[in-house]
Amino acid sequence: RTFPQHLAQEECSIPAYYLLRWHVFGAAGHLERPLCGSSIEAYQQRGREDDIGCYPHFTCGDDKSPPICAKVLARADCVRHQGTHYVIDTAHSCQNLYFGDRKASQLKNDQYAIYQHEFCAASIHLNHYAVRSRRDFVDKFERGRISSSARDAQLGIADANSRTRSVPTPVIRDFIAGKEKHHSQTNKANAAKSAADLMLLEFFRRDHSQVLDDTILPLATALRQRLNTPTCLDTAWACSFV
């Protein structure tokens, strides 16, 4: 069912925002980008931490490995100030289910908030493909990031103008081959001393692939049809024919 259908069936109101759980999927052992198929077919292993949660807090900081818990599904007309994964301030005219300090949001202790979160938000999760293959991750990392890009530039990790991050070629070559020589012992991004250290830190705290999760696979066929992309069998046949 669609999200509007879900809201209608569960008799959900429309508060300022919902906090939704996410499942962080790892690289599943892929060094290079898979030649065919979609992400939901190629990456079917995620971290077991996603089953644990972090109650009573819904959101977590960068020191978590992987950074787990929640994404925000918000009404743009209600949110006055938005952080990376959390709401900072909402309009007084909008209903709010949560309280607390930004990265430590908690559910309000009243029947309305408890019902709305349990039946409208807690039953939904987002699949977050934060890593994908090692090659994909290098490409993503070197593009830079929106959040903390200024800090990266100040630390000399990112270019001051483009905010891109450049990692030495030998480090990338070893990393993609699965032969990296070291990675940082800290989970805190602001403790990284170089772009190479930060790249390895961010990869290893997200590359968690302990739990098989193929619950989204029934949607793969519809997704391919919507995107007009071939199946792996189609691609293999074309390659063998040539």
Coordinates of all heavy atoms in Angstrom, one line a residue, residues 137-223:
F137 N 31.3 3.6 -2.9 CA 31.6 4.4 -1.7 C 32.7 5.4 -1.9 O 32.6 6.5 -1.4 CB 31.9 3.5 -0.5 CG 32.0 4.2 0.8 CD1 30.9 4.7 1.5 CD2 33.3 4.5 1.3 CE1 31.1 5.4 2.7 CE2 33.4 5.3 2.5 CZ 32.3 5.7 3.2
V138 N 33.7 5.0 -2.6 CA 34.8 5.9 -2.9 C 34.3 7.1 -3.7 O 34.6 8.3 -3.4 CB 36.0 5.2 -3.7 CG1 37.0 6.3 -4.2 CG2 36.7 4.2 -2.8
D139 N 33.5 6.8 -4.7 CA 32.9 7.9 -5.5 C 32.1 8.8 -4.7 O 32.1 10.1 -4.9 CB 32.1 7.3 -6.7 CG 32.9 6.5 -7.7 OD1 34.2 6.7 -7.7 OD2 32.4 5.7 -8.4
K140 N 31.3 8.2 -3.8 CA 30.4 9.0 -3.0 C 31.2 9.9 -2.0 O 31.0 11.1 -1.8 CB 29.5 8.1 -2.2 CG 28.6 8.8 -1.1 CD 27.8 7.8 -0.4 CE 27.0 8.4 0.8 NZ 26.2 7.4 1.5
F141 N 32.2 9.3 -1.4 CA 33.0 10.0 -0.4 C 33.8 11.2 -1.0 O 33.8 12.3 -0.5 CB 34.1 9.0 0.2 CG 35.0 9.7 1.2 CD1 34.5 9.9 2.5 CD2 36.2 10.2 0.8 CE1 35.4 10.5 3.4 CE2 37.0 10.8 1.8 CZ 36.6 11.0 3.1
E142 N 34.3 11.0 -2.2 CA 35.1 12.0 -2.8 C 34.3 13.2 -3.3 O 34.8 14.3 -3.5 CB 36.0 11.5 -4.0 CG 37.1 10.6 -3.5 CD 38.2 10.4 -4.5 OE1 37.9 10.1 -5.7 OE2 39.4 10.5 -4.1
R143 N 33.0 13.0 -3.5 CA 32.1 14.1 -3.9 C 31.9 15.1 -2.7 O 31.6 16.2 -2.9 CB 30.7 13.6 -4.3 CG 30.7 12.9 -5.7 CD 29.3 12.8 -6.2 NE 28.4 12.0 -5.3 CZ 28.2 10.7 -5.4 NH1 28.8 10.0 -6.3 NH2 27.4 10.1 -4.6
G144 N 32.2 14.6 -1.5 CA 32.0 15.5 -0.4 C 30.6 15.3 0.2 O 29.8 14.6 -0.3
R145 N 30.4 16.0 1.3 CA 29.1 15.9 1.9 C 28.5 17.3 2.2 O 29.3 18.3 2.4 CB 29.2 15.1 3.2 CG 30.2 15.6 4.2 CD 30.3 14.7 5.4 NE 31.5 15.1 6.3 CZ 31.7 14.6 7.4 NH1 31.0 13.6 7.8 NH2 32.7 14.9 8.1
I146 N 27.2 17.4 2.3 CA 26.6 18.7 2.6 C 26.8 19.0 4.1 O 27.3 20.1 4.4 CB 25.1 18.7 2.3 CG1 24.9 18.4 0.8 CG2 24.4 19.9 2.8 CD1 23.4 18.3 0.4
S147 N 26.5 18.1 5.0 CA 26.7 18.3 6.4 C 28.2 18.2 6.7 O 28.9 17.3 6.2 CB 25.9 17.3 7.2 OG 26.3 16.0 7.0
S148 N 28.7 19.1 7.5 CA 30.1 19.1 8.0 C 31.1 19.4 6.9 O 32.3 19.1 7.1 CB 30.4 17.7 8.7 OG 29.5 17.5 9.7
S149 N 30.7 19.8 5.8 CA 31.7 20.1 4.7 C 32.6 21.3 5.1 O 33.8 21.3 4.8 CB 31.0 20.4 3.4 OG 30.1 21.6 3.5
A150 N 32.0 22.2 5.8 CA 32.9 23.4 6.3 C 33.9 22.9 7.3 O 35.1 23.3 7.2 CB 32.0 24.4 6.9
R151 N 33.6 22.0 8.1 CA 34.5 21.4 9.1 C 35.6 20.6 8.4 O 36.8 20.7 8.7 CB 33.8 20.5 10.1 CG 34.7 19.9 11.2 CD 34.0 19.1 12.2 NE 33.4 17.9 11.5 CZ 32.5 17.1 12.1 NH1 32.1 17.3 13.3 NH2 32.1 16.0 11.4
D152 N 35.2 19.8 7.4 CA 36.2 19.1 6.6 C 37.2 20.0 5.9 O 38.4 19.7 5.9 CB 35.5 18.2 5.5 CG 34.7 17.0 6.1 OD1 34.9 16.7 7.3 OD2 34.0 16.4 5.4
A153 N 36.7 21.1 5.4 CA 37.6 22.1 4.8 C 38.5 22.7 5.8 O 39.7 22.9 5.5 CB 36.8 23.2 4.1
Q154 N 38.0 23.0 7.0 CA 38.9 23.6 8.0 C 40.0 22.7 8.4 O 41.1 23.1 8.8 CB 38.0 24.0 9.2 CG 37.1 25.2 8.9 CD 36.2 25.5 10.1 OE1 36.2 24.8 11.1 NE2 35.5 26.6 10.0
L155 N 39.7 21.4 8.4 CA 40.7 20.4 8.9 C 41.6 20.0 7.7 O 42.5 19.2 7.9 CB 39.9 19.1 9.4 CG 39.1 19.3 10.6 CD1 38.3 18.0 10.9 CD2 40.0 19.6 11.8
G156 N 41.4 20.5 6.5 CA 42.2 20.2 5.4 C 41.8 18.9 4.7 O 42.6 18.4 3.9
I157 N 40.7 18.3 5.1 CA 40.2 17.1 4.6 C 39.5 17.3 3.2 O 39.5 16.4 2.4 CB 39.3 16.3 5.6 CG1 40.2 15.9 6.8 CG2 38.6 15.1 5.0 CD1 39.4 15.2 7.9
A158 N 38.8 18.4 3.1 CA 38.1 18.7 1.9 C 38.6 20.0 1.3 O 39.2 20.9 1.9 CB 36.6 18.9 2.2
D159 N 38.5 20.2 -0.1 CA 38.9 21.4 -0.8 C 38.0 22.6 -0.3 O 36.8 22.4 -0.1 CB 38.7 21.2 -2.3 CG 39.1 22.4 -3.1 OD1 40.3 22.5 -3.4 OD2 38.3 23.3 -3.3
A160 N 38.7 23.7 0.0 CA 38.0 24.8 0.6 C 36.9 25.4 -0.3 O 35.9 26.0 0.1 CB 39.0 25.9 0.9
N161 N 37.1 25.2 -1.6 CA 36.1 25.8 -2.6 C 35.1 24.8 -3.0 O 33.9 25.0 -2.9 CB 36.8 26.4 -3.8 CG 37.8 27.5 -3.4 OD1 37.4 28.4 -2.7 ND2 39.0 27.5 -4.0
S162 N 35.5 23.7 -3.5 CA 34.5 22.7 -4.1 C 34.0 21.8 -3.0 O 32.9 21.1 -3.2 CB 35.2 21.8 -5.1 OG 36.3 21.0 -4.5
R163 N 34.6 21.7 -1.8 CA 34.2 20.8 -0.7 C 34.4 19.3 -1.1 O 33.8 18.5 -0.4 CB 32.8 21.2 -0.2 CG 32.7 22.6 0.2 CD 33.6 22.9 1.4 NE 33.6 24.3 1.7 CZ 32.8 25.0 2.6 NH1 31.8 24.3 3.1 NH2 32.9 26.3 2.8
T164 N 35.0 19.0 -2.2 CA 35.3 17.6 -2.5 C 36.4 17.1 -1.7 O 37.2 17.9 -1.2 CB 35.7 17.5 -4.0 OG1 36.8 18.3 -4.3 CG2 34.5 17.9 -4.9
R165 N 36.6 15.8 -1.6 CA 37.6 15.2 -0.7 C 38.4 14.2 -1.6 O 37.9 13.3 -2.2 CB 37.0 14.5 0.5 CG 36.1 15.4 1.3 CD 35.4 14.7 2.5 NE 34.4 13.8 2.0 CZ 33.5 13.2 2.9 NH1 33.5 13.5 4.1 NH2 32.5 12.4 2.4
S166 N 39.7 14.4 -1.6 CA 40.6 13.6 -2.4 C 41.4 12.6 -1.6 O 42.0 13.0 -0.6 CB 41.5 14.5 -3.2 OG 42.4 13.8 -4.0
V167 N 41.3 11.4 -2.0 CA 42.1 10.3 -1.3 C 43.2 9.8 -2.2 O 43.0 9.6 -3.4 CB 41.1 9.1 -0.9 CG1 41.9 8.0 -0.2 CG2 40.0 9.6 0.0
P168 N 44.4 9.6 -1.6 CA 45.5 9.2 -2.5 C 45.2 7.9 -3.2 O 44.6 7.0 -2.7 CB 46.6 8.9 -1.4 CG 46.3 9.8 -0.3 CD 44.8 9.9 -0.2
T169 N 45.6 7.8 -4.5 CA 45.3 6.7 -5.3 C 45.8 5.4 -4.7 O 45.0 4.4 -4.8 CB 46.0 6.9 -6.7 OG1 45.5 8.1 -7.3 CG2 45.7 5.7 -7.6
P170 N 46.9 5.2 -4.1 CA 47.3 3.9 -3.6 C 46.3 3.5 -2.5 O 46.1 2.2 -2.4 CB 48.7 4.2 -3.0 CG 49.2 5.3 -3.8 CD 48.1 6.2 -4.1
V171 N 45.8 4.4 -1.7 CA 44.9 4.1 -0.6 C 43.6 3.5 -1.3 O 43.0 2.5 -0.8 CB 44.6 5.3 0.3 CG1 43.5 4.9 1.3 CG2 45.9 5.7 1.0
I172 N 43.1 4.2 -2.3 CA 41.9 3.8 -3.0 C 42.1 2.4 -3.6 O 41.2 1.6 -3.5 CB 41.5 4.8 -4.1 CG1 41.0 6.2 -3.4 CG2 40.4 4.3 -4.9 CD1 40.7 7.3 -4.4
R173 N 43.2 2.2 -4.3 CA 43.5 0.9 -4.9 C 43.4 -0.2 -3.9 O 42.8 -1.2 -4.1 CB 44.8 1.0 -5.6 CG 45.1 -0.3 -6.4 CD 46.5 -0.2 -7.0 NE 47.6 -0.1 -6.0 CZ 48.4 1.0 -5.9 NH1 48.3 2.0 -6.8 NH2 49.3 1.1 -5.0
D174 N 44.1 0.0 -2.8 CA 44.1 -1.1 -1.8 C 42.7 -1.3 -1.1 O 42.3 -2.4 -0.9 CB 45.1 -0.7 -0.7 CG 46.5 -0.8 -1.1 OD1 46.8 -1.5 -2.2 OD2 47.4 -0.3 -0.5
F175 N 42.0 -0.2 -0.9 CA 40.7 -0.3 -0.3 C 39.7 -1.0 -1.2 O 39.0 -1.9 -0.8 CB 40.1 1.1 -0.1 CG 38.7 1.2 0.4 CD1 38.4 0.7 1.6 CD2 37.7 1.7 -0.5 CE1 37.0 0.8 2.1 CE2 36.4 1.7 -0.1 CZ 36.1 1.3 1.2
I176 N 39.7 -0.7 -2.5 CA 38.8 -1.4 -3.4 C 39.1 -2.8 -3.6 O 38.2 -3.7 -3.8 CB 38.8 -0.7 -4.8 CG1 38.1 0.7 -4.7 CG2 38.0 -1.5 -5.8 CD1 38.1 1.5 -5.9
A177 N 40.4 -3.2 -3.5 CA 40.8 -4.6 -3.5 C 40.6 -5.3 -2.2 O 40.8 -6.5 -2.1 CB 42.3 -4.6 -3.9
G178 N 40.1 -4.6 -1.2 CA 39.9 -5.2 0.1 C 41.2 -5.5 0.9 O 41.3 -6.3 1.7
K179 N 42.2 -4.6 0.6 CA 43.6 -4.8 1.2 C 44.0 -3.6 1.9 O 45.2 -3.3 2.0 CB 44.6 -5.2 0.1 CG 44.3 -6.5 -0.6 CD 45.3 -6.7 -1.7 CE 45.0 -8.0 -2.5 NZ 45.9 -8.3 -3.6
E180 N 43.1 -2.8 2.5 CA 43.4 -1.6 3.2 C 44.4 -2.0 4.4 O 44.2 -3.0 5.0 CB 42.2 -0.9 3.7 CG 41.3 -1.6 4.7 CD 40.4 -2.7 4.1 OE1 40.2 -2.6 2.9 OE2 40.0 -3.5 4.8
K181 N 45.3 -1.1 4.6 CA 46.4 -1.4 5.6 C 46.0 -1.0 7.0 O 46.6 -1.4 7.9 CB 47.7 -0.7 5.1 CG 48.3 -1.3 3.8 CD 49.5 -0.5 3.4 CE 50.2 -1.2 2.2 NZ 49.3 -1.2 1.0
H182 N 45.1 0.0 7.1 CA 44.7 0.4 8.4 C 43.4 1.2 8.3 O 43.0 1.6 7.3 CB 45.8 1.4 9.0 CG 45.8 2.7 8.3 ND1 46.4 2.8 7.1 CD2 45.3 3.9 8.6 CE1 46.3 4.1 6.7 NE2 45.6 4.8 7.6
H183 N 42.8 1.3 9.5 CA 41.7 2.3 9.5 C 41.6 2.8 11.0 O 42.1 2.2 11.9 CB 40.3 1.7 9.1 CG 39.8 0.6 10.0 ND1 39.0 0.8 11.1 CD2 40.0 -0.7 9.9 CE1 38.7 -0.3 11.7 NE2 39.3 -1.3 11.0
S184 N 41.0 4.0 11.1 CA 41.0 4.7 12.4 C 40.4 3.9 13.5 O 39.5 3.1 13.3 CB 40.2 6.0 12.2 OG 40.1 6.7 13.5
Q185 N 40.9 4.0 14.7 CA 40.4 3.3 15.9 C 39.2 4.1 16.6 O 38.7 3.6 17.6 CB 41.5 3.1 16.9 CG 42.7 2.3 16.3 CD 42.2 0.9 15.9 OE1 41.5 0.2 16.6 NE2 42.5 0.5 14.6
T186 N 38.8 5.2 16.0 CA 37.8 6.0 16.6 C 36.5 6.0 15.7 O 36.6 5.8 14.5 CB 38.2 7.4 16.9 OG1 37.1 8.2 17.4 CG2 38.6 8.1 15.6
N187 N 35.3 6.1 16.3 CA 34.1 6.3 15.6 C 33.7 7.7 15.4 O 32.7 8.0 14.7 CB 33.0 5.5 16.3 CG 33.1 4.0 16.1 OD1 33.5 3.5 15.1 ND2 32.7 3.3 17.1
K188 N 34.5 8.6 15.9 CA 34.1 10.1 15.8 C 34.7 10.7 14.5 O 35.9 10.7 14.4 CB 34.6 10.8 17.0 CG 33.8 10.4 18.3 CD 34.2 11.2 19.5 CE 33.4 10.8 20.7 NZ 32.0 11.1 20.6
A189 N 33.9 11.2 13.7 CA 34.3 11.8 12.4 C 35.3 12.9 12.6 O 36.2 13.1 11.9 CB 33.1 12.2 11.6
N190 N 35.0 13.7 13.7 CA 35.9 14.9 13.9 C 37.3 14.6 14.4 O 38.1 15.5 14.6 CB 35.2 15.9 14.8 CG 34.8 15.4 16.1 OD1 35.2 14.3 16.5 ND2 34.1 16.1 16.9
A191 N 37.5 13.3 14.7 CA 38.8 12.9 15.1 C 39.7 12.4 14.0 O 40.9 12.2 14.2 CB 38.7 11.7 16.1
A192 N 39.2 12.3 12.8 CA 40.0 11.9 11.6 C 41.0 12.9 11.3 O 40.7 14.1 11.3 CB 39.1 11.6 10.5
K193 N 42.2 12.5 10.9 CA 43.3 13.5 10.6 C 43.5 13.7 9.1 O 44.2 14.6 8.7 CB 44.6 13.0 11.3 CG 44.5 12.8 12.8 CD 44.1 14.1 13.5 CE 44.1 13.9 15.0 NZ 43.6 15.2 15.7
S194 N 42.9 12.8 8.3 CA 43.1 12.9 6.8 C 41.9 12.4 6.1 O 41.0 11.7 6.7 CB 44.3 12.1 6.4 OG 44.1 10.7 6.6
A195 N 41.8 12.7 4.8 CA 40.7 12.2 4.0 C 40.7 10.7 4.0 O 39.6 10.1 4.0 CB 40.7 12.8 2.6
A196 N 41.9 10.1 3.9 CA 41.9 8.6 3.9 C 41.4 8.0 5.2 O 40.6 7.0 5.2 CB 43.4 8.2 3.6
D197 N 41.8 8.6 6.3 CA 41.3 8.1 7.6 C 39.8 8.2 7.7 O 39.1 7.3 8.2 CB 42.0 8.8 8.7 CG 43.4 8.4 9.0 OD1 43.8 7.3 8.5 OD2 44.2 9.1 9.7
L198 N 39.3 9.4 7.3 CA 37.8 9.6 7.4 C 37.1 8.7 6.5 O 36.0 8.2 6.8 CB 37.5 11.1 7.0 CG 36.1 11.5 7.1 CD1 35.6 11.3 8.6 CD2 35.9 12.9 6.7
M199 N 37.6 8.4 5.3 CA 36.9 7.5 4.3 C 36.8 6.1 4.9 O 35.7 5.5 4.9 CB 37.7 7.4 3.0 CG 37.0 6.5 2.0 SD 38.0 6.2 0.5 CE 39.2 5.1 1.2
L200 N 37.9 5.6 5.5 CA 37.9 4.3 6.1 C 37.0 4.2 7.3 O 36.3 3.3 7.6 CB 39.3 3.9 6.5 CG 40.3 3.7 5.3 CD1 41.7 3.5 5.7 CD2 39.8 2.5 4.4
L201 N 37.1 5.3 8.1 CA 36.2 5.4 9.3 C 34.7 5.3 9.0 O 34.0 4.5 9.5 CB 36.5 6.7 10.1 CG 35.8 7.0 11.4 CD1 36.6 7.9 12.2 CD2 34.4 7.6 11.1
E202 N 34.3 6.1 8.0 CA 32.9 6.2 7.6 C 32.5 4.8 7.0 O 31.3 4.4 7.2 CB 32.7 7.3 6.7 CG 32.8 8.7 7.3 CD 32.3 9.8 6.5 OE1 32.2 9.6 5.2 OE2 32.1 10.9 7.0
F203 N 33.3 4.2 6.2 CA 33.0 2.9 5.6 C 32.8 1.8 6.6 O 31.7 1.1 6.7 CB 34.0 2.5 4.6 CG 33.7 1.2 3.9 CD1 32.8 1.1 2.9 CD2 34.3 0.0 4.4 CE1 32.5 -0.1 2.3 CE2 34.0 -1.2 3.8 CZ 33.1 -1.3 2.7
F204 N 33.7 1.7 7.5 CA 33.7 0.5 8.5 C 32.6 0.7 9.5 O 32.2 -0.3 10.1 CB 35.1 0.3 9.1 CG 36.0 -0.4 8.1 CD1 37.0 0.3 7.5 CD2 35.8 -1.7 7.7 CE1 37.9 -0.3 6.6 CE2 36.6 -2.3 6.8 CZ 37.7 -1.6 6.3
R205 N 32.2 1.9 9.8 CA 31.1 2.0 10.8 C 29.7 1.9 10.2 O 28.7 1.8 10.8 CB 31.2 3.3 11.6 CG 30.8 4.6 10.8 CD 30.8 5.8 11.7 NE 30.4 6.9 10.9 CZ 30.2 8.1 11.5 NH1 30.5 8.3 12.8 NH2 29.8 9.1 10.8
R206 N 29.7 1.7 8.8 CA 28.4 1.5 8.1 C 28.4 0.2 7.4 O 27.3 -0.2 7.0 CB 28.2 2.7 7.1 CG 27.9 4.0 7.8 CD 27.8 5.1 6.7 NE 27.3 6.3 7.3 CZ 28.0 7.2 7.8 NH1 29.4 7.0 7.9 NH2 27.5 8.4 8.3
D207 N 29.5 -0.4 7.2 CA 29.5 -1.7 6.4 C 29.1 -2.9 7.3 O 30.0 -3.7 7.7 CB 30.9 -1.9 5.8 CG 30.9 -3.2 4.9 OD1 29.8 -3.5 4.4 OD2 31.9 -3.8 4.8
H208 N 27.9 -2.9 7.8 CA 27.4 -3.9 8.7 C 26.5 -4.8 7.9 O 25.5 -4.4 7.4 CB 26.7 -3.4 9.9 CG 27.7 -2.7 10.8 ND1 27.9 -3.2 12.1 CD2 28.4 -1.6 10.7 CE1 28.8 -2.4 12.7 NE2 29.1 -1.4 11.9
S209 N 26.8 -6.1 7.7 CA 26.1 -7.0 6.9 C 25.8 -8.3 7.6 O 26.0 -9.4 7.0 CB 26.8 -7.2 5.5 OG 27.1 -6.0 4.9
Q210 N 25.4 -8.3 8.8 CA 25.2 -9.5 9.6 C 23.8 -10.1 9.4 O 23.7 -11.3 9.7 CB 25.4 -9.2 11.1 CG 26.7 -8.5 11.4 CD 26.5 -7.0 11.6 OE1 25.6 -6.4 11.0 NE2 27.3 -6.4 12.5
V211 N 22.8 -9.4 9.0 CA 21.5 -9.9 9.0 C 20.9 -9.9 7.6 O 20.9 -8.8 6.9 CB 20.5 -9.0 9.9 CG1 19.1 -9.5 9.8 CG2 21.0 -9.0 11.3
L212 N 20.5 -11.0 7.1 CA 19.8 -11.1 5.8 C 18.5 -10.5 5.9 O 17.6 -10.8 6.7 CB 19.7 -12.6 5.4 CG 18.9 -12.8 4.1 CD1 19.7 -12.2 2.9 CD2 18.7 -14.3 3.8
D213 N 18.2 -9.5 5.0 CA 16.9 -8.8 5.0 C 16.5 -8.6 3.5 O 17.0 -7.7 2.8 CB 17.1 -7.4 5.7 CG 15.7 -6.7 5.8 OD1 14.8 -7.1 5.1 OD2 15.6 -5.8 6.7
D214 N 15.7 -9.6 3.1 CA 15.2 -9.5 1.7 C 13.7 -9.2 1.6 O 13.1 -9.5 0.6 CB 15.5 -10.8 1.0 CG 14.9 -12.0 1.7 OD1 14.2 -11.8 2.7 OD2 15.1 -13.2 1.2
T215 N 13.2 -8.5 2.6 CA 11.8 -8.3 2.7 C 11.3 -7.3 1.5 O 10.1 -7.3 1.2 CB 11.4 -7.6 4.0 OG1 12.2 -6.5 4.3 CG2 11.6 -8.6 5.1
I216 N 12.2 -6.6 0.9 CA 11.8 -5.6 -0.1 C 11.9 -6.3 -1.5 O 11.4 -5.7 -2.5 CB 12.7 -4.4 -0.1 CG1 12.1 -3.2 -0.8 CG2 14.1 -4.7 -0.6 CD1 12.8 -1.9 -0.7
L217 N 12.5 -7.5 -1.6 CA 12.7 -8.1 -2.9 C 11.4 -8.3 -3.7 O 11.4 -8.2 -5.0 CB 13.3 -9.4 -2.7 CG 14.8 -9.4 -2.6 CD1 15.4 -10.8 -2.6 CD2 15.5 -8.6 -3.7
P218 N 10.2 -8.5 -3.1 CA 9.0 -8.6 -4.0 C 8.7 -7.3 -4.8 O 8.0 -7.4 -5.8 CB 7.9 -8.8 -2.9 CG 8.6 -9.5 -1.8 CD 9.9 -8.9 -1.7
L219 N 9.3 -6.2 -4.4 CA 9.1 -5.0 -5.2 C 10.1 -4.8 -6.3 O 10.0 -3.9 -7.1 CB 9.2 -3.8 -4.2 CG 8.2 -3.7 -3.1 CD1 8.5 -2.5 -2.2 CD2 6.8 -3.7 -3.6
A220 N 11.1 -5.7 -6.4 CA 12.2 -5.6 -7.4 C 11.6 -5.6 -8.9 O 12.1 -4.7 -9.7 CB 13.2 -6.7 -7.3
T221 N 10.7 -6.4 -9.2 CA 10.2 -6.5 -10.5 C 9.4 -5.2 -10.9 O 9.7 -4.6 -12.0 CB 9.2 -7.7 -10.7 OG1 9.9 -8.9 -10.4 CG2 8.6 -7.7 -12.1
A222 N 8.6 -4.7 -10.0 CA 7.9 -3.5 -10.3 C 8.9 -2.3 -10.4 O 8.7 -1.4 -11.2 CB 6.9 -3.2 -9.1
L223 N 9.9 -2.3 -9.6 CA 10.9 -1.2 -9.6 C 11.6 -1.2 -11.0 O 11.8 -0.2 -11.6 CB 11.9 -1.4 -8.5 CG 13.1 -0.4 -8.5 CD1 12.5 1.0 -8.3 CD2 14.1 -0.7 -7.4

